[in-house]
């Protein structure tokens, strides 16, 4: 896709912006929150992931007691955003996650978990 035509996938567009904020691409920690997180290192964005995950859990529990579900959506957006930063740090994209979800499609959760354990055992031998 040409650089002048926006990518149709909002996660891919956001991932591209995050990528552009890396120090290697000129991200300025004085002007960009994402660049600041990259500059501070993994502990900074991993801490944010933990905080946002907790906020998602609390918002979901609040929804069970009548709170506005939009709060859950807002907190989930914050979590996904910070997870995208972690993916970018490790050279991965939302498409990599989608590919993995597609790979798991049709597997029961129990089968998939057993397969992962078996593969881990094989690689550890």
């Amino acid at each position: 896709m040409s650089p002048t035509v926006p990518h149709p996938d909002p996660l891919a567009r956001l991932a591209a912006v995050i990528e552009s904020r890396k120090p290697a691409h000129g991200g300025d920690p004085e002007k960009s929150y994402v660049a600041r997180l990259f500059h501070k290192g993994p502990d900074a964005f991993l801490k944010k992931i933990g905080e946002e995950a907790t906020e998602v859990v609390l918002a979901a529990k609040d929804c069970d007691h009548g709170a506005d579900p939009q709060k859950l959506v807002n907190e989930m957006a914050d979590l996904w955003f910070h997870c995208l930063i972690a993916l970018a740090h490790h050279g991965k994209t939302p498409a990599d996650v989608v590919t993995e979800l597609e790979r798991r499609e049709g597997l029961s959760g129990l089968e998939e978990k057993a397969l992962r354990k078996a593969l881990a055992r094989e690689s550890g031998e």
Side-chain angles (χ1 to χ4, degrees):
M1 189 162 271
S2 125
T4 58
V5 177
H7 196 287
D9 176 2
L11 286 177
R13 285 195 313 270
L14 180 55
V17 170
I18 290 169
E19 186 68 27
S20 76
R21 300 300 196 266
K22 284 181 170 181
H25 298 124
D28 182 353
E30 297 297 318
K31 297 179 181 175
S32 164
Y33 171 72
V34 172
R36 188 173 313 137
L37 287 176
F38 279 130
H39 178 75
K40 289 181 177 180
D43 285 350
F45 55 79
L46 295 175
K47 179 180 177 186
K48 287 300 296 179
I49 290 171
E51 291 170 3
E52 298 302 342
T54 299
E55 291 175 13
V56 166
V57 169
L58 294 173
K61 290 184 78 57
D62 289 347
C63 285
D64 287 338
H65 300 284
D68 182 358
Q70 185 60 44
K71 172 83 170 158
L72 174 60
V73 171
N74 295 346
E75 296 299 346
M76 190 68 71
D78 292 344
L79 176 60
W80 286 14
F81 175 79
H82 289 90
C83 288
L84 290 173
I85 294 170
L87 282 172
H89 174 75
H90 291 286
K92 296 296 184 179
T93 68
D96 295 316
V97 177
V98 169
T99 297
E100 176 60 15
L101 290 170
E102 288 171 337
R103 183 193 67 77
R104 295 179 185 188
E105 191 174 358
L107 289 176
S108 83
L110 297 175
E111 288 172 9
E112 197 278 331
K113 186 175 181 179
L115 178 61
R116 274 190 286 140
K117 284 184 178 182
L119 291 172
R121 277 194 305 273
E122 286 176 13
S123 68
E125 293 176 4

